Amino acid sequence: MNFNVIGLKNNIFYYSNLYRDYVFEFDKLSNFFSYDYRSLDQYKTRIDFLKKTYDKDIIDNLCDELYEYNHLLGCGKKTLENINILKNEDSFTLVAGQQPGIFSGPLYTIYKAISLVSLSALLSEKLNVKITPVFWNASEDNDIDEVKSINIPSGTLEKISIDIPEYLSRLSFSKVILPVDEYENLVRKLLDSLQATEYKKEIEKFLNRILDIMMNAGKNDGFSVSRFFSAILCQLFSDYGLVIIDPELSVLKKFSRKIIEFDISKQSEIHGSIDFNSRELAALGYHNQLNLLRDHLDFFLNTKNGREKIRINEKGNYCIQGYDSKKNEFSLNELKDVLLKNISDTALNVITRPVLQDWVLPNIATVCGPGEISYFAQIKDIYTFFGIEMPVIIPRLSATLIEKKIKESMQKIKLDYESLELFPDRQARTMLKNMIGFDINSFLLGLENEVSGLIGDKKKILKKHDIDGENSFNRIENNLKKEIEILGKRIISGYGRKNTYVADSINKIYNNLLPEKNLQERSVNIFDYINRYGFQIINGIKENINPFDFNHKFIEIM
């Protein structure tokens, strides 16, 4: 299996204007970030900062639980070695994170992990320090709809879903414990959806091994969707020493107390800073990815009702629904007491989680997707308030996989990658216009001008005889424009009917590259490709990309 990698600048493959400018025109956004990810010297500066400020006692306390957690996931020897190396003085991390998804979720999770292990190896060599790749399982999130299903292409997208009871759906992912037979059913659903290939048996063995690992870890009665995600990612990247970290670790819950206290005490400064940065970004024409919940703290408490927000009311007290049937309003001291007693049920949000991550880890850089880069653009000052610095923010690999049959279809209709549009019907019209053999727009414009000229001449004749036909002529002219527009569509559709292979080819191409008008990396799961090309496809992609080339990649599988 060979690969050919092509970088693209086509706008539809870039999530937002902010993300595109971050990749191609970073200087426009540099004031919102602490470091320039393009410069190797900036990574050296970050390392110098960490050597002066990072408390090594933190990682020493963390490593024992990290070791046990990854060992129970069935990790490889290299992962355990990396965890032990983290205790060394000149050892650092690169971090990527993602909320859990069944069978690893969309392709971009795999791309993020590929970027993480590739960049860690490259920067270790260039900076002459040991860098461990750490994947942060964002198990405190609770967007169930985003994680409970994956798409497998089979003509159209086939959705594979896990059944999550309503009473669990509002909890953090780490609290969503499902019985083993639910995961066994899920594995059967995936296997049934995959075509018979030489690699299908390997997938079956792999997934059954995941279930065995979970049960051998004492999870016979069931385990969380977040742990299932960790186990799959751990096994897929076991050869690269990837370390999985989960904020549900008890030591991280203890560390999160400091973040929670910080958020409570600095609430007005935190939200004021985010507001300011949001306005600054809006003034530059960028969207705000991070929308503040006014009068709310930046963490949650998992109660019997779900993951609950903590609201500050007009009296300055704190309101929590579902914690106590007799009381939902608490003073500051009462709130602190509640949180201290229930620290394992707290969950940080998108504002406070990165601060915890970059306080407890000697983290040089975080590998981010487009949405995360937009978040980070708004929270630089939060790090300063806490007394640390935002790490280097590196864009993850963004890619579209091009199989041979799809490339051949594109060549057949002479469709190139940079010309791809988001909507297939618009793409079909564009293609047919180019193929039809004459300039349709000029033809229609000429027709309109000729008929309009004739109407103008007839108007003059009536006017000479003092006959008022203005309203009638206006209606004729208005109808003319409508009819010419209809004629243009009929020319294209008529040509299309004679050349159905164009529409058929475009539908085939779009179902693969932009399924349901969405990027492939956001729509489909890696196991469909593993089923066709084997587990080696992950290493094949890794070995054929330059982790410091941040263009969206079209990766042709030869």
Side-chain angles (χ1 to χ4, degrees):
M1 179 171 44
N2 296 313
F3 298 85
N4 182 42
V5 180
I6 301 165
L8 292 187
K9 293 188 176 181
N10 187 327
N11 281 338
I12 67 171
F13 295 99
Y14 294 85
Y15 180 77
S16 65
N17 289 337
L18 189 150
Y19 174 59
R20 184 178 175 83
D21 283 351
Y22 194 83
V23 172
F24 295 113
E25 298 185 70
F26 175 77
D27 291 343
K28 288 184 178 180
L29 290 158
S30 59
N31 289 339
F32 297 95
F33 296 89
S34 296
Y35 299 95
D36 183 345
Y37 69 93
R38 303 167 302 176
S39 166
L40 193 63
D41 286 339
Q42 293 280 278
Y43 296 86
K44 295 175 182 176
T45 302
R46 173 66 179 170
I47 288 172
D48 289 340
F49 175 83
L50 290 171
K51 285 180 177 179
K52 293 174 186 174
T53 62
Y54 180 70
D55 182 356
K56 268 299 198 181
D57 289 341
I58 295 176
I59 199 69
D60 290 342
N61 289 326
L62 181 58
C63 278
D64 287 345
E65 283 198 37
L66 266 184
Y67 192 100
E68 181 183 10
Y69 180 80
N70 283 269
H71 179 66
L72 290 174
L73 294 175
C75 69
K77 181 181 176 183
K78 192 171 181 182
T79 293
L80 298 178
E81 289 173 353
N82 277 343
I83 294 171
N84 286 328
I85 288 170
L86 277 174
K87 296 178 182 180
N88 297 342
E89 196 65 34
D90 285 333
S91 180
F92 303 92
T93 64
L94 240 65
V95 174
Q98 185 60 42
Q99 66 180 19
I102 61 170
F103 302 120
S104 77
L107 276 170
Y108 62 68
T109 302
I110 299 299
Y111 296 158
K112 196 176 283 185
I114 287 173
S115 293
L116 179 60
V117 296
S118 299
L119 285 162
S120 296
L122 182 64
L123 288 171
S124 289
E125 180 183 339
K126 289 187 176 295
L127 300 172
N128 197 30
V129 293
K130 176 59 185 174
I131 300 175
T132 293
V134 176
F135 198 99
W136 189 288
N137 179 344
S139 65
E140 294 181 321
D141 287 355
N142 81 330
D143 192 345
I144 291 293
D145 287 340
E146 285 199 17
V147 306
K148 71 179 183 181
S149 63
I150 58 167
N151 293 318
I152 298 294
S154 56
T156 57
L157 291 184
E158 181 179 348
K159 186 167 284 191
I160 310 298
S161 300
I162 192 167
D163 294 324
I164 297 176
E166 180 63 29
Y167 74 93
L168 291 175
S169 64
R170 294 187 66 242
L171 294 170
S172 294
F173 299 131
S174 58
K175 308 292 184 185
V176 180
I177 311 294
L178 299 175
V180 173
D181 60 3
E182 185 59 52
Y183 293 99
E184 290 172 340
N185 290 337
L186 184 66
V187 167
R188 279 195 292 271
K189 286 180 189 176
L190 175 63
L191 293 172
D192 288 345
S193 73
L194 297 175
Q195 297 175 354
T197 69
E198 60 183 300
Y199 303 110
K200 189 171 180 177
K201 279 290 183 186
E202 289 182 37
I203 294 173
E204 184 175 6
K205 289 178 183 176
F206 175 88
L207 295 175
N208 285 332
R209 186 166 73 250
I210 297 293
L211 296 178
D212 288 342
I213 287 169
M214 292 291 93
M215 289 185 282
N216 290 338
K219 305 296 178 182
N220 298 46
D221 295 333
F223 44 91
S224 68
V225 293
S226 60
R227 189 173 279 264
F228 186 56
F229 170 78
S230 287
I232 287 178
L233 207 61
C234 177
Q235 292 298 310
L236 287 175
F237 288 88
S238 63
D239 292 341
Y240 308 106
L242 183 68
V243 175
I244 310 292
I245 190 168
D246 190 324
E248 279 299 300
L249 297 178
S250 61
V251 66
L252 284 178
K253 287 299 183 185
K254 291 175 185 175
F255 285 137
S256 69
R257 289 177 188 169
K258 184 172 179 178
I259 306 297
I260 286 170
E261 289 170 1
F262 160 71
D263 185 65
I264 293 171
S265 65
K266 295 286 187 182
Q267 183 64 199
S268 60
E269 291 95 329
I270 290 170
H271 283 201
S273 169
I274 291 171
D275 268 338
F276 177 80
N277 286 327
S278 297
R279 290 194 298 272
E280 291 287 294
L281 288 165
L284 294 171
Y286 301 119
H287 75 296
N288 291 326
Q289 184 78 16
L290 184 58
N291 295 312
L292 283 175
L293 279 173
R294 304 293 170 188
D295 302 319
H296 284 76
L297 297 177
D298 301 308
F299 57 91
F300 306 90
L301 183 66
N302 282 286
T303 73
K304 59 186 178 183
N305 290 344
R307 194 183 73 152
E308 296 292 345
K309 304 177 183 74
I310 302 175
R311 181 175 63 85
I312 308 170
N313 67 15
E314 62 280 356
K315 294 184 289 185
N317 288 332
Y318 300 86
C319 301
I320 311 171
Q321 298 296 325
Y323 171 70
D324 188 328
S325 59
K326 298 177 182 177
K327 183 176 182 178
N328 63 15
E329 185 176 324
F330 303 85
S331 68
L332 176 58
N333 286 334
E334 288 172 330
L335 175 69
K336 288 182 177 180
D337 187 53
V338 167
L339 296 173
L340 183 62
K341 290 177 180 176
N342 298 277
I343 194 66
S344 63
D345 290 323
T346 57
L348 303 183
N349 75 357
V350 70
I351 296 169
T352 48
R353 183 201 60 74
V355 179
L356 173 67
Q357 167 193 295
D358 296 315
W359 173 52
V360 301
L361 294 172
N363 190 36
I364 297 173
T366 300
V367 178
C368 293
E372 294 163 299
I373 289 172
S374 297
Y375 289 142
F376 275 102
Q378 294 173 255
I379 65 170
K380 175 184 173 184
D381 297 331
I382 316 306
Y383 282 84
T384 305
F385 296 156
F386 190 72
I388 59 176
E389 276 188 358
M390 181 190 290
V392 185
I393 304 299
I394 314 177
R396 66 159 168 82
L397 167 65
S398 177
T400 302
L401 298 177
I402 311 291
E403 297 178 89
K404 185 178 179 182
K405 62 185 179 182
I406 298 301
K407 183 179 179 182
E408 289 172 350
S409 293
M410 294 186 74
Q411 290 174 334
K412 184 178 179 181
I413 61 173
K414 298 180 180 178
L415 175 59
D416 64 85
Y417 299 147
E418 290 288 2
S419 298
L420 279 167
E421 300 185 36
L422 185 58
F423 301 102
D425 52 347
R426 189 185 299 166
Q427 186 76 67
R429 287 198 297 272
T430 301
M431 295 299 300
L432 289 166
K433 276 185 181 181
N434 293 338
M435 294 171 64
I436 207 162
F438 63 92
D439 187 335
I440 298 175
N441 291 335
S442 296
F443 171 80
L444 296 173
L445 182 61
L447 176 60
E448 184 177 355
N449 288 339
E450 287 177 25
V451 177
S452 295
L454 181 60
I455 291 170
D457 292 340
K458 300 306 179 186
K459 270 187 186 180
K460 291 175 185 177
I461 292 171
L462 290 185
K463 202 166 186 180
K464 279 183 183 180
H465 295 280
D466 200 22
I467 297 171
D468 183 12
E470 191 68 25
N471 289 337
S472 297
F473 279 119
N474 286 342
R475 285 195 296 273
I476 292 170
E477 286 177 326
N478 287 335
N479 286 332
L480 174 65
K481 291 182 183 296
K482 292 176 186 176
E483 291 299 326
I484 285 180
E485 186 177 339
I486 291 169
L487 176 62
K489 291 178 180 177
R490 285 182 175 170
I491 291 171
I492 294 171
S493 62
Y495 189 79
R497 282 192 296 273
K498 292 181 179 179
N499 297 272
T500 55
Y501 75 91
V502 175
D504 292 343
S505 296
I506 285 174
N507 285 334
K508 178 181 176 182
I509 292 162
Y510 272 75
N511 284 340
N512 191 284
L513 306 189
L514 292 159
E516 296 182 350
K517 301 173 186 174
N518 204 355
L519 297 190
Q520 182 195 83
E521 65 179 24
R522 294 179 171 274
S523 302
V524 300
N525 178 265
I526 188 63
F527 278 95
D528 179 57
Y529 289 94
I530 291 173
N531 189 47
R532 280 178 278 157
Y533 300 101
F535 283 92
Q536 64 267 28
I537 190 171
I538 293 175
N539 189 64
I541 294 169
K542 174 186 172 294
E543 293 300 314
N544 282 277
I545 57 110
N546 172 3
F548 263 96
D549 178 0
F550 302 106
N551 286 8
H552 182 88
K553 309 291 188 303
F554 265 33
I555 302 176
E556 297 176 344
I557 306 172
M558 313 296 282

PDB file of all heavy atoms in Angstrom, residues 293-312:
ATOM      1  N   LEU A 293     -21.568  31.248  29.521  1.00  0.00           N
ATOM      2  CA  LEU A 293     -22.821  31.195  30.269  1.00  0.00           C
ATOM      3  C   LEU A 293     -22.721  32.242  31.367  1.00  0.00           C
ATOM      4  O   LEU A 293     -21.925  32.107  32.302  1.00  0.00           O
ATOM      5  CB  LEU A 293     -23.022  29.810  30.880  1.00  0.00           C
ATOM      6  CG  LEU A 293     -23.567  28.726  29.969  1.00  0.00           C
ATOM      7  CD1 LEU A 293     -23.549  27.382  30.689  1.00  0.00           C
ATOM      8  CD2 LEU A 293     -24.989  29.053  29.531  1.00  0.00           C
ATOM      9  N   ARG A 294     -23.487  33.306  31.235  1.00  0.00           N
ATOM     10  CA  ARG A 294     -23.416  34.390  32.198  1.00  0.00           C
ATOM     11  C   ARG A 294     -23.815  33.892  33.582  1.00  0.00           C
ATOM     12  O   ARG A 294     -24.741  33.092  33.734  1.00  0.00           O
ATOM     13  CB  ARG A 294     -24.345  35.538  31.790  1.00  0.00           C
ATOM     14  CG  ARG A 294     -24.064  36.075  30.396  1.00  0.00           C
ATOM     15  CD  ARG A 294     -22.700  36.759  30.332  1.00  0.00           C
ATOM     16  NE  ARG A 294     -22.339  37.068  28.951  1.00  0.00           N
ATOM     17  CZ  ARG A 294     -21.146  37.521  28.589  1.00  0.00           C
ATOM     18  NH1 ARG A 294     -20.225  37.711  29.493  1.00  0.00           N
ATOM     19  NH2 ARG A 294     -20.885  37.779  27.332  1.00  0.00           N
ATOM     20  N   ASP A 295     -23.125  34.408  34.611  1.00  0.00           N
ATOM     21  CA  ASP A 295     -23.453  34.094  36.009  1.00  0.00           C
ATOM     22  C   ASP A 295     -23.390  32.595  36.296  1.00  0.00           C
ATOM     23  O   ASP A 295     -24.173  32.071  37.096  1.00  0.00           O
ATOM     24  CB  ASP A 295     -24.842  34.644  36.377  1.00  0.00           C
ATOM     25  CG  ASP A 295     -24.940  36.144  36.181  1.00  0.00           C
ATOM     26  OD1 ASP A 295     -23.980  36.843  36.528  1.00  0.00           O
ATOM     27  OD2 ASP A 295     -25.973  36.609  35.662  1.00  0.00           O
ATOM     28  N   HIS A 296     -22.465  31.911  35.631  1.00  0.00           N
ATOM     29  CA  HIS A 296     -22.242  30.486  35.900  1.00  0.00           C
ATOM     30  C   HIS A 296     -20.754  30.246  36.126  1.00  0.00           C
ATOM     31  O   HIS A 296     -19.899  30.907  35.513  1.00  0.00           O
ATOM     32  CB  HIS A 296     -22.713  29.618  34.730  1.00  0.00           C
ATOM     33  CG  HIS A 296     -24.196  29.460  34.645  1.00  0.00           C
ATOM     34  ND1 HIS A 296     -25.031  30.456  34.177  1.00  0.00           N
ATOM     35  CD2 HIS A 296     -25.007  28.418  34.981  1.00  0.00           C
ATOM     36  CE1 HIS A 296     -26.288  30.031  34.212  1.00  0.00           C
ATOM     37  NE2 HIS A 296     -26.297  28.804  34.694  1.00  0.00           N
ATOM     38  N   LEU A 297     -20.446  29.306  36.994  1.00  0.00           N
ATOM     39  CA  LEU A 297     -19.061  28.892  37.187  1.00  0.00           C
ATOM     40  C   LEU A 297     -18.614  28.013  36.024  1.00  0.00           C
ATOM     41  O   LEU A 297     -19.444  27.477  35.282  1.00  0.00           O
ATOM     42  CB  LEU A 297     -18.923  28.140  38.514  1.00  0.00           C
ATOM     43  CG  LEU A 297     -19.242  28.959  39.776  1.00  0.00           C
ATOM     44  CD1 LEU A 297     -19.149  28.091  41.021  1.00  0.00           C
ATOM     45  CD2 LEU A 297     -18.308  30.159  39.902  1.00  0.00           C
ATOM     46  N   ASP A 298     -17.303  27.864  35.897  1.00  0.00           N
ATOM     47  CA  ASP A 298     -16.738  27.169  34.734  1.00  0.00           C
ATOM     48  C   ASP A 298     -16.400  25.709  35.053  1.00  0.00           C
ATOM     49  O   ASP A 298     -15.337  25.193  34.687  1.00  0.00           O
ATOM     50  CB  ASP A 298     -15.511  27.924  34.230  1.00  0.00           C
ATOM     51  CG  ASP A 298     -15.864  29.350  33.845  1.00  0.00           C
ATOM     52  OD1 ASP A 298     -16.809  29.518  33.059  1.00  0.00           O
ATOM     53  OD2 ASP A 298     -15.213  30.276  34.360  1.00  0.00           O
ATOM     54  N   PHE A 299     -17.309  25.068  35.763  1.00  0.00           N
ATOM     55  CA  PHE A 299     -17.224  23.633  36.008  1.00  0.00           C
ATOM     56  C   PHE A 299     -18.626  23.151  36.375  1.00  0.00           C
ATOM     57  O   PHE A 299     -19.556  23.955  36.546  1.00  0.00           O
ATOM     58  CB  PHE A 299     -16.211  23.310  37.128  1.00  0.00           C
ATOM     59  CG  PHE A 299     -16.492  23.984  38.439  1.00  0.00           C
ATOM     60  CD1 PHE A 299     -17.279  23.372  39.404  1.00  0.00           C
ATOM     61  CD2 PHE A 299     -15.970  25.242  38.726  1.00  0.00           C
ATOM     62  CE1 PHE A 299     -17.550  23.981  40.617  1.00  0.00           C
ATOM     63  CE2 PHE A 299     -16.229  25.867  39.932  1.00  0.00           C
ATOM     64  CZ  PHE A 299     -17.027  25.235  40.879  1.00  0.00           C
ATOM     65  N   PHE A 300     -18.771  21.835  36.475  1.00  0.00           N
ATOM     66  CA  PHE A 300     -20.075  21.222  36.726  1.00  0.00           C
ATOM     67  C   PHE A 300     -19.987  20.299  37.936  1.00  0.00           C
ATOM     68  O   PHE A 300     -18.904  19.942  38.397  1.00  0.00           O
ATOM     69  CB  PHE A 300     -20.532  20.397  35.511  1.00  0.00           C
ATOM     70  CG  PHE A 300     -20.533  21.146  34.218  1.00  0.00           C
ATOM     71  CD1 PHE A 300     -19.398  21.157  33.403  1.00  0.00           C
ATOM     72  CD2 PHE A 300     -21.655  21.837  33.784  1.00  0.00           C
ATOM     73  CE1 PHE A 300     -19.383  21.839  32.199  1.00  0.00           C
ATOM     74  CE2 PHE A 300     -21.652  22.522  32.584  1.00  0.00           C
ATOM     75  CZ  PHE A 300     -20.521  22.519  31.790  1.00  0.00           C
ATOM     76  N   LEU A 301     -21.171  19.894  38.398  1.00  0.00           N
ATOM     77  CA  LEU A 301     -21.258  18.863  39.427  1.00  0.00           C
ATOM     78  C   LEU A 301     -22.216  17.789  38.951  1.00  0.00           C
ATOM     79  O   LEU A 301     -23.359  18.073  38.600  1.00  0.00           O
ATOM     80  CB  LEU A 301     -21.757  19.460  40.747  1.00  0.00           C
ATOM     81  CG  LEU A 301     -21.817  18.479  41.933  1.00  0.00           C
ATOM     82  CD1 LEU A 301     -20.410  18.035  42.331  1.00  0.00           C
ATOM     83  CD2 LEU A 301     -22.534  19.111  43.126  1.00  0.00           C
ATOM     84  N   ASN A 302     -21.724  16.551  38.884  1.00  0.00           N
ATOM     85  CA  ASN A 302     -22.593  15.430  38.524  1.00  0.00           C
ATOM     86  C   ASN A 302     -23.474  15.079  39.722  1.00  0.00           C
ATOM     87  O   ASN A 302     -22.972  14.717  40.790  1.00  0.00           O
ATOM     88  CB  ASN A 302     -21.752  14.222  38.115  1.00  0.00           C
ATOM     89  CG  ASN A 302     -21.206  14.351  36.708  1.00  0.00           C
ATOM     90  OD1 ASN A 302     -21.941  14.217  35.727  1.00  0.00           O
ATOM     91  ND2 ASN A 302     -19.911  14.617  36.597  1.00  0.00           N
ATOM     92  N   THR A 303     -24.788  15.210  39.536  1.00  0.00           N
ATOM     93  CA  THR A 303     -25.756  14.875  40.574  1.00  0.00           C
ATOM     94  C   THR A 303     -26.614  13.713  40.086  1.00  0.00           C
ATOM     95  O   THR A 303     -26.403  13.188  38.979  1.00  0.00           O
ATOM     96  CB  THR A 303     -26.658  16.081  40.890  1.00  0.00           C
ATOM     97  OG1 THR A 303     -27.575  16.280  39.803  1.00  0.00           O
ATOM     98  CG2 THR A 303     -25.833  17.350  41.087  1.00  0.00           C
ATOM     99  N   LYS A 304     -27.607  13.358  40.864  1.00  0.00           N
ATOM    100  CA  LYS A 304     -28.499  12.276  40.448  1.00  0.00           C
ATOM    101  C   LYS A 304     -29.285  12.650  39.193  1.00  0.00           C
ATOM    102  O   LYS A 304     -29.778  11.777  38.474  1.00  0.00           O
ATOM    103  CB  LYS A 304     -29.473  11.936  41.581  1.00  0.00           C
ATOM    104  CG  LYS A 304     -30.350  13.107  42.018  1.00  0.00           C
ATOM    105  CD  LYS A 304     -31.182  12.747  43.232  1.00  0.00           C
ATOM    106  CE  LYS A 304     -32.017  13.950  43.690  1.00  0.00           C
ATOM    107  NZ  LYS A 304     -32.784  13.641  44.922  1.00  0.00           N
ATOM    108  N   ASN A 305     -29.388  13.963  38.913  1.00  0.00           N
ATOM    109  CA  ASN A 305     -30.121  14.413  37.723  1.00  0.00           C
ATOM    110  C   ASN A 305     -29.247  14.554  36.486  1.00  0.00           C
ATOM    111  O   ASN A 305     -29.753  14.722  35.379  1.00  0.00           O
ATOM    112  CB  ASN A 305     -30.793  15.763  37.988  1.00  0.00           C
ATOM    113  CG  ASN A 305     -31.942  15.657  38.968  1.00  0.00           C
ATOM    114  OD1 ASN A 305     -32.430  14.563  39.221  1.00  0.00           O
ATOM    115  ND2 ASN A 305     -32.353  16.782  39.527  1.00  0.00           N
ATOM    116  N   GLY A 306     -27.934  14.550  36.668  1.00  0.00           N
ATOM    117  CA  GLY A 306     -27.040  14.728  35.527  1.00  0.00           C
ATOM    118  C   GLY A 306     -25.916  15.690  35.853  1.00  0.00           C
ATOM    119  O   GLY A 306     -25.702  16.068  37.012  1.00  0.00           O
ATOM    120  N   ARG A 307     -25.184  16.089  34.828  1.00  0.00           N
ATOM    121  CA  ARG A 307     -24.081  17.043  34.995  1.00  0.00           C
ATOM    122  C   ARG A 307     -24.670  18.446  35.075  1.00  0.00           C
ATOM    123  O   ARG A 307     -25.101  19.011  34.069  1.00  0.00           O
ATOM    124  CB  ARG A 307     -23.114  16.919  33.816  1.00  0.00           C
ATOM    125  CG  ARG A 307     -21.773  17.601  34.046  1.00  0.00           C
ATOM    126  CD  ARG A 307     -20.897  17.501  32.824  1.00  0.00           C
ATOM    127  NE  ARG A 307     -21.345  18.383  31.756  1.00  0.00           N
ATOM    128  CZ  ARG A 307     -20.562  18.900  30.826  1.00  0.00           C
ATOM    129  NH1 ARG A 307     -19.279  18.601  30.815  1.00  0.00           N
ATOM    130  NH2 ARG A 307     -21.036  19.671  29.880  1.00  0.00           N
ATOM    131  N   GLU A 308     -24.673  19.032  36.274  1.00  0.00           N
ATOM    132  CA  GLU A 308     -25.393  20.277  36.508  1.00  0.00           C
ATOM    133  C   GLU A 308     -24.462  21.483  36.504  1.00  0.00           C
ATOM    134  O   GLU A 308     -23.350  21.440  37.044  1.00  0.00           O
ATOM    135  CB  GLU A 308     -26.131  20.223  37.850  1.00  0.00           C
ATOM    136  CG  GLU A 308     -27.233  19.173  37.917  1.00  0.00           C
ATOM    137  CD  GLU A 308     -28.419  19.492  37.019  1.00  0.00           C
ATOM    138  OE1 GLU A 308     -28.539  20.643  36.560  1.00  0.00           O
ATOM    139  OE2 GLU A 308     -29.222  18.572  36.772  1.00  0.00           O
ATOM    140  N   LYS A 309     -24.944  22.572  35.906  1.00  0.00           N
ATOM    141  CA  LYS A 309     -24.248  23.854  35.970  1.00  0.00           C
ATOM    142  C   LYS A 309     -24.441  24.452  37.364  1.00  0.00           C
ATOM    143  O   LYS A 309     -25.409  24.144  38.059  1.00  0.00           O
ATOM    144  CB  LYS A 309     -24.802  24.818  34.918  1.00  0.00           C
ATOM    145  CG  LYS A 309     -24.771  24.301  33.500  1.00  0.00           C
ATOM    146  CD  LYS A 309     -25.423  25.319  32.561  1.00  0.00           C
ATOM    147  CE  LYS A 309     -25.487  24.807  31.129  1.00  0.00           C
ATOM    148  NZ  LYS A 309     -26.509  23.766  30.953  1.00  0.00           N
ATOM    149  N   ILE A 310     -23.517  25.317  37.751  1.00  0.00           N
ATOM    150  CA  ILE A 310     -23.619  26.017  39.033  1.00  0.00           C
ATOM    151  C   ILE A 310     -23.816  27.507  38.729  1.00  0.00           C
ATOM    152  O   ILE A 310     -22.920  28.161  38.196  1.00  0.00           O
ATOM    153  CB  ILE A 310     -22.372  25.791  39.901  1.00  0.00           C
ATOM    154  CG1 ILE A 310     -22.183  24.281  40.140  1.00  0.00           C
ATOM    155  CG2 ILE A 310     -22.486  26.544  41.224  1.00  0.00           C
ATOM    156  CD1 ILE A 310     -20.911  23.921  40.877  1.00  0.00           C
ATOM    157  N   ARG A 311     -24.993  27.995  39.066  1.00  0.00           N
ATOM    158  CA  ARG A 311     -25.390  29.371  38.727  1.00  0.00           C
ATOM    159  C   ARG A 311     -25.228  30.286  39.934  1.00  0.00           C
ATOM    160  O   ARG A 311     -25.506  29.893  41.074  1.00  0.00           O
ATOM    161  CB  ARG A 311     -26.839  29.390  38.240  1.00  0.00           C
ATOM    162  CG  ARG A 311     -27.366  30.768  37.841  1.00  0.00           C
ATOM    163  CD  ARG A 311     -28.766  30.667  37.256  1.00  0.00           C
ATOM    164  NE  ARG A 311     -29.726  30.162  38.234  1.00  0.00           N
ATOM    165  CZ  ARG A 311     -30.358  30.932  39.131  1.00  0.00           C
ATOM    166  NH1 ARG A 311     -30.097  32.234  39.185  1.00  0.00           N
ATOM    167  NH2 ARG A 311     -31.233  30.399  39.970  1.00  0.00           N
ATOM    168  N   ILE A 312     -24.764  31.503  39.676  1.00  0.00           N
ATOM    169  CA  ILE A 312     -24.665  32.515  40.728  1.00  0.00           C
ATOM    170  C   ILE A 312     -25.908  33.401  40.627  1.00  0.00           C
ATOM    171  O   ILE A 312     -26.150  34.029  39.588  1.00  0.00           O
ATOM    172  CB  ILE A 312     -23.397  33.366  40.558  1.00  0.00           C
ATOM    173  CG1 ILE A 312     -22.167  32.466  40.417  1.00  0.00           C
ATOM    174  CG2 ILE A 312     -23.242  34.344  41.717  1.00  0.00           C
ATOM    175  CD1 ILE A 312     -20.901  33.198  39.998  1.00  0.00           C
TER     176      ILE A 312
END
